[in-house]
């Protein structure tokens, strides 16, 4: 059996390609709709430059990377980005987006577990951290279900829809991930 660290149970992760511009033309609007926020629009040229930049992949100096997630039918369901990689201390951050029409189907969980397996077992990192806005109850619930530990909260850090919200930080160590994999139903 061939092992692929880029394939989960429900998704496959791949690098962005220049033809993915159509995804990102509407992605900004979809993300901002969730925040009930308005930002300056990006031109196609700005999006193309950004795609070219992220499609370069990890550099020799960093393990930061941006993935496109596809389901079994090759539909693009979201993205996951690893950043802030600190190889010396073995820590990294990630951010995840699942497009609205694909939410609630287990894709986010699969994307997160796929990334954790790779960074913990292939690249020897020992700690993952994510920041979740306090209004994102589904992401908070998912990270708690995956047994991430709430490590801190920065109050009133994002303003949207007339209200300030907190940034909630969750973390998981490689040892905690190993325990989760041994008994995910706890």
């Amino acid at each position: 059996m061939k092992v692929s660290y880029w394939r989960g149970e429900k998704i496959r992760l791949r690098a962005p390609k220049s033809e993915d511009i159509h995804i990102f033309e509407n992605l900004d609007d979809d993300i901002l709709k969730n925040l009930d926020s308005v930002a300056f629009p990006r031109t196609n040229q700005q999006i193309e430059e950004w795609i070219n930049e992220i499609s370069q992949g990890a550099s020799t100096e960093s393990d930061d990377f941006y993935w496109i997630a596809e389901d079994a039918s090759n539909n693009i369901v979201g993205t996951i980005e690893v950043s802030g990689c600190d190889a010396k201390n073995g820590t990294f951050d990630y951010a995840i987006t699942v497009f609205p029409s694909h939410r609630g189907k287990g894709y986010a969980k699969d994307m997160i577990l796929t990334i954790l397996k790779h960074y913990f077992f292939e690249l020897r990192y020992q700690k993952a951290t994510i920041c979740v806005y306090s209004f994102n109850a589904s992401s908070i619930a998912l990270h708690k279900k995956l047994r991430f530990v709430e490590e801190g909260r920065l109050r009133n850090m994002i303003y949207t829809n007339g209200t300030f919200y907190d940034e909630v930080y969750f973390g998981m160590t490689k040892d905690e991930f190993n325990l989760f994999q041994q008994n995910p139903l706890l």
Side-chain angles (χ1 to χ4, degrees), residues 29-49:
D29 289 339
D30 287 341
I31 291 171
L32 293 172
K33 282 179 198 170
N34 288 331
L35 299 178
D36 195 20
S37 183
V38 177
F40 294 110
R42 292 193 293 177
T43 66
N44 278 354
Q45 181 179 349
Q46 289 170 316
I47 295 170
E48 286 173 9
E49 289 171 2

Side-chain angles (χ1 to χ4, degrees), residues 6 15-16 52-67 82-83 85 118-119 123 125:
W6 306 120
N52 287 335
E53 182 181 317
I54 63 171
S55 65
Q56 300 301 312
S59 72
T60 56
E61 299 155 13
S62 174
D63 293 321
D64 292 5
F65 202 81
Y66 193 100
W67 285 271
V82 173
S83 61
C85 291
H118 182 71
Y119 277 78
L123 299 179
Y125 283 83

Side-chain angles (χ1 to χ4, degrees), residues 47-109:
I47 295 170
E48 286 173 9
E49 289 171 2
W50 178 73
I51 288 175
N52 287 335
E53 182 181 317
I54 63 171
S55 65
Q56 300 301 312
S59 72
T60 56
E61 299 155 13
S62 174
D63 293 321
D64 292 5
F65 202 81
Y66 193 100
W67 285 271
I68 304 291
E70 296 177 334
D71 65 12
S73 301
N74 295 323
N75 297 309
I76 297 170
V77 300
T79 66
I80 189 164
E81 177 181 14
V82 173
S83 61
C85 291
D86 180 344
K88 176 184 176 285
N89 294 305
T91 60
F92 66 94
D93 306 322
Y94 72 90
I96 186 168
T97 300
V98 176
F99 302 147
S101 62
H102 298 287
R103 292 185 183 150
K105 299 176 183 176
Y107 296 130
K109 175 183 174 184

